[in-house]
Amino acid sequence: MASSKPKPTPQPHPLKRLLDTLTDLNPLHCLHLSLHSPIWHFVERVYALPSPPPPRVRTQPMQVLCVGLPRTGTESLQQALLKLGYNHTYHGWDVVYDPDGCYAPKWVELARKKWYNNGQGGGGRRISRQEFDTVIGHSVAVTDAAASVFAADLIAAYPEAKVVLNMRRDIEGWEKSLRNTLVHANESWAWWLASWLDRECFWSWHVYERFLWPLLFRAGDGDMKRAIEGNARWIRQEHANMIRGLVPKEKLLEWYIEDGWEPLCKFLGKPVPDEPFPHANALQGGWKEREEQANKRWIEGAFSRLILICFGLAVGIAVARRWLL
């Protein structure tokens, strides 16, 4: 009997190997520190906002928690809830783009309490309603990053609220969307460099790229690409099972973006609007527009300051050489 030769293992393309090597050398990953390291606490004090926004106070009861993972129609769902009268519906963009100021430092504080317990042993990691109210007290509904990362805490803090578990049926499409957005942002050298030159940009990067997204997708080393490729599917299932175990059936709606208005309105007791269900990527908003907003708001200004700093250093060196040499 002739023995079959094992098939040779296909070798990755040289360009792919080069890109993988550059990714591994990315200081975001190879210089990763524990998020409870004293170094990060020191850096956060250095980059403290000169005028932090005031704590919020709850003015209306929390009514809806949309706890689905990122890239499951969260912004479209926010627009739909606003249309149904849930004003204000808090979205992940509000963490950094809130008109009242950047609330990212407070979300970092809450994330550190949830995941690191502020460096204290034992239990007590549950985040209270009062703590959430300081950032979302003006909101009657929540969706996207805050809702998915803090799902269990929000459900415990607001037991009176109805819960929507928003998902996508196209799992491959969902993973592709994660790669095109979360991973793309995580690998952006421009955004990372700008985060060291602008306070608000620092907090925008810090809250999302070091806390919320990596902790949600179990990216312990800060490598979102590796985490999403290896973890996204089981985290999706684990997250859904957790929500089903925490919420009574009569207060939970498992909803897909393709379902549109009818099941959502029936669950919330609202009339169905006489218009198509919103799709954020096709309307004003969406990831691409927010990315451009970040470029104009932080990155362009940061690199202008970098050019001025380099120019000033060059002039200083030239003057020093002229007078000292």
Side-chain angles (χ1 to χ4, degrees):
M1 182 176 178
S3 60
S4 58
K5 294 182 178 180
K7 294 182 179 180
T9 304
Q11 296 297 316
H13 191 277
L15 179 59
K16 185 180 185 305
R17 289 204 301 269
L18 174 61
L19 293 175
D20 289 343
T21 301
L22 290 175
T23 298
D24 291 337
L25 293 175
N26 189 331
L28 276 59
H29 305 148
C30 63
L31 299 181
H32 185 76
L33 295 170
S34 166
L35 295 175
H36 203 61
S37 166
I39 294 176
W40 282 127
H41 287 275
F42 172 76
V43 171
E44 288 168 11
R45 287 195 292 271
V46 171
Y47 282 86
L49 297 174
S51 301
R56 292 206 163 101
V57 178
R58 179 148 299 282
T59 55
Q60 302 178 70
M62 181 65 73
Q63 299 179 48
V64 186
L65 302 173
C66 303
V67 296
L69 296 173
R71 311 311 298 166
T72 56
T74 58
E75 193 165 358
S76 298
L77 190 52
Q78 180 207 32
Q79 294 179 9
L81 290 174
L82 290 171
K83 181 66 179 180
L84 295 176
Y86 294 97
N87 194 13
H88 177 68
T89 297
Y90 196 89
H91 187 275
W93 295 122
D94 293 334
V95 173
V96 292
Y97 289 127
D98 194 306
D100 292 335
C102 179
Y103 280 85
K106 181 61 179 179
W107 285 110
V108 166
E109 179 185 327
L110 295 179
R112 187 172 272 126
K113 179 178 181 180
K114 175 180 175 64
W115 294 95
Y116 296 90
N117 201 23
N118 287 333
Q120 301 173 3
R125 298 187 183 187
R126 182 70 68 189
I127 299 170
S128 69
R129 178 195 293 245
Q130 290 72 25
E131 288 174 299
F132 279 125
D133 283 346
T134 61
V135 283
I136 56 174
H138 63 310
S139 303
V140 297
V142 188
T143 184
D144 196 58
S148 56
V149 174
F150 297 93
D153 306 86
L154 287 166
I155 290 168
Y158 304 105
E160 70 279 8
K162 293 184 175 181
V163 178
V164 177
L165 177 56
N166 42 298
M167 297 179 285
R168 284 178 64 172
R169 290 188 174 90
D170 181 5
I171 299 179
E172 290 185 359
W174 173 62
E175 290 179 322
K176 180 179 179 181
S177 182
L178 290 174
R179 290 192 297 270
N180 290 340
T181 53
L182 274 61
V183 173
H184 174 72
N186 183 257
E187 295 180 344
S188 172
W189 283 81
W191 193 10
W192 179 77
L193 287 172
S195 72
W196 298 108
L197 299 167
D198 182 279
R199 291 178 188 270
E200 284 194 10
C201 189
F202 167 83
W203 284 105
S204 177
W205 177 274
H206 198 52
V207 69
Y208 276 117
E209 300 298 339
R210 296 194 182 101
F211 280 90
L212 300 190
W213 290 336
L215 294 175
L216 180 62
F217 287 99
R218 315 301 196 269
D221 59 355
D223 189 341
M224 284 294 296
K225 179 181 179 182
R226 188 176 301 158
I228 285 175
E229 288 177 350
N231 303 339
R233 294 202 180 201
W234 69 259
I235 287 174
R236 173 184 180 273
Q237 189 61 48
E238 182 184 73
H239 185 80
N241 289 339
M242 178 187 71
I243 301 303
R244 293 172 186 135
L246 291 173
V247 184
K249 289 185 178 181
E250 65 274 11
K251 298 192 71 173
L252 175 64
L253 171 67
E254 296 189 25
W255 178 87
Y256 296 87
I257 186 67
E258 302 89 350
D259 295 343
W261 287 116
E262 285 74 13
L264 182 64
C265 292
K266 181 180 179 181
F267 176 67
L268 298 175
K270 300 285 186 178
V272 177
D274 186 21
E275 61 182 66
F277 192 85
H279 291 283
N281 289 334
L283 300 173
Q284 183 177 7
W287 181 277
K288 188 64 177 176
E289 182 171 318
R290 294 298 189 175
E291 202 171 37
E292 293 174 356
Q293 184 177 352
N295 288 336
K296 292 179 180 179
R297 181 170 177 171
W298 296 317
I299 296 178
E300 291 180 4
F303 277 89
S304 296
R305 286 191 288 275
L306 180 61
I307 291 172
L308 290 175
I309 291 171
C310 293
F311 178 76
L313 287 173
V315 171
I317 292 171
V319 171
R321 291 184 64 185
R322 180 178 179 84
W323 292 100
L324 298 177
L325 297 180

